[in-house]
DNA sequence: ATGCATGCAAAACGTTTGCATGTCT
DNA sequence: AGACATGCAAACGTTTTGCATGCAT
């Protein structure tokens, strides 16, 4: 956790921005949560912990965390933007359960390789990618069977 | 094209909805365009062709086209939602060029297979997925080199 | 004739921004 | 002191909705 904070501080420094109470608080709560948070969820989480920060500041800080590479944007097709901890986390894809809304983070070196190949075939220089698989997780799959859905 | 329209009509019928001039016009222009259209782009396209339809109706009809399986939502990380023709189009992934905004539709049976395997390993039942690779297309890659960017 | 569809304008979202005030350096 | 950050509320762009009217069945 501390390493990520350090990286954030460093980024702020390099950009000649200021280290403020809000930025540090927001970063810390975000990093501790370990979830894919929407701006509003983080804002509420801060309120619960009686840390005052305006919505706008949370937006602005998450943007900063994203730029610094500490956070990454996740877009699971919802209306809302989400952020996940990127620092110290290797790249991964998502298995998103449409039953319970939870997700599993997965990784396959082979898939990554195939993607490289695919890009090469098209003279395309990849810089990032996103693979989300939607469906039912183990427990939701069993649920549905039990209840006789579908 | 006609087959897709038929499927749409059938869907409307089954749902006991009504076949209206707007719905048919919107569906036709959408299917003919063959592009990933945003609601607004389609709305404008309709205006150009002097077909009158309110924005709200275009929204509602695209939602319907999506439900019917004729259209599919595409989310390339923009603020705006886009739709693509799904009917008669096999599943594909996207290579999205961050230089010119264009995209290439690609497909790899091997990647699909690996995804299946990945899901199986996690007891996950996939129903759909989305793979978007962002980067520079051939011509934008060359452009950048020429201009000495980066 | 009935009920669903349309179109407008208003509301509802998530997000961004302008500006006066407060804080870091 | 000076510059930058904050917080509020207003502005924004996209999508949704309420409601009177119009059209399909």
């Amino acid at each position: 956790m501390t390493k990520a904070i350090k990286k954030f501080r460093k980024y702020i420094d390099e950009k000649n921005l200021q280290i403020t109470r809000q930025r540090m608080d927001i970063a810390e709560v975000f990093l501790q949560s370990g979830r894919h948070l929407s701006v509003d969820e983080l804002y509420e989480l801060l309120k619960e912990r009686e840390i005052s920060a305006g919505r706008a500041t949370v937006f602005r800080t998450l943007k900063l965390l994203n730029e610094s590479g500490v956070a990454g944007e996740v877009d699971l097709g919802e209306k809302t933007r989400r952020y996940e901890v990127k620092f110290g986390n290797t790249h991964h894809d998502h298995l998103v359960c449409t039953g319970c809304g939870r997700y599993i983070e997965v990784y396959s070196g082979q898939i990554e390789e195939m993607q490289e190949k695919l890009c090469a075939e098209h003279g395309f220089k990849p810089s990032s990618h996103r693979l989300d698989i939607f469906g039912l997780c183990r427990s939701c799959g069993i649920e549905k069977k039990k209840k006789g859905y579908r």
Side-chain angles (χ1 to χ4, degrees), chain A:
Chain A
M1 290 300 143
T2 305
K3 270 192 185 168
I5 291 276
K6 258 186 204 156
K7 178 168 182 185
F8 187 43
R9 287 184 97 108
K10 195 177 153 208
Y11 178 79
I12 289 177
D13 242 41
E14 282 168 357
K15 288 267 175 180
N16 285 316
L17 304 174
Q18 299 177 181
I19 293 169
T20 63
R21 206 212 75 235
Q22 285 89 334
R23 283 181 178 161
M24 290 305 119
D25 282 356
I26 292 171
E28 234 161 78
V29 172
F30 170 69
L31 288 166
Q32 278 167 18
S33 89
R35 301 192 290 126
H36 292 51
L37 288 173
S38 69
V39 179
D40 247 52
E41 284 170 358
L42 181 49
Y43 173 72
E44 293 300 331
L45 201 52
L46 288 159
K47 263 214 302 218
E48 274 176 34
R49 308 215 181 159
E50 305 187 0
I51 292 169
S52 85
R55 244 188 198 78
T57 304
V58 179
F59 267 96
R60 289 189 272 232
T61 304
L62 277 173
K63 187 182 268 183
L64 217 54
L65 280 161
N66 181 49
E67 287 166 15
S68 76
V70 171
E73 293 188 1
V74 215
D75 171 7
L76 300 178
E78 300 158 304
K79 47 259 138 231
T80 320
R81 184 187 302 162
R82 284 178 183 283
Y83 291 88
E84 67 180 359
V85 179
K86 198 161 142 195
F87 179 86
N89 254 9
T90 44
H91 163 76
H92 56 259
D93 303 319
H94 294 111
L95 305 185
V96 184
C97 179
T98 52
C100 59
R102 280 195 287 266
Y103 53 83
I104 306 168
E105 296 182 351
V106 295
Y107 180 79
S108 158
Q110 284 175 297
I111 289 181
E112 304 287 321
E113 258 174 55
M114 310 252 52
Q115 287 179 15
E116 290 287 340
K117 219 171 96 187
L118 196 58
C119 288
E121 281 165 17
H122 291 83
F124 190 90
K125 292 201 178 71
S127 55
S128 73
H129 70 267
R130 172 182 73 181
L131 170 60
D132 302 315
I133 305 180
F134 301 92
L136 292 174
C137 69
R138 206 188 306 264
S139 43
C140 285
I142 294 166
E143 270 294 289
K144 295 248 164 168
K145 223 181 265 172
K146 267 195 202 155
K147 294 194 183 168
Y149 290 172
R150 295 263 111 194

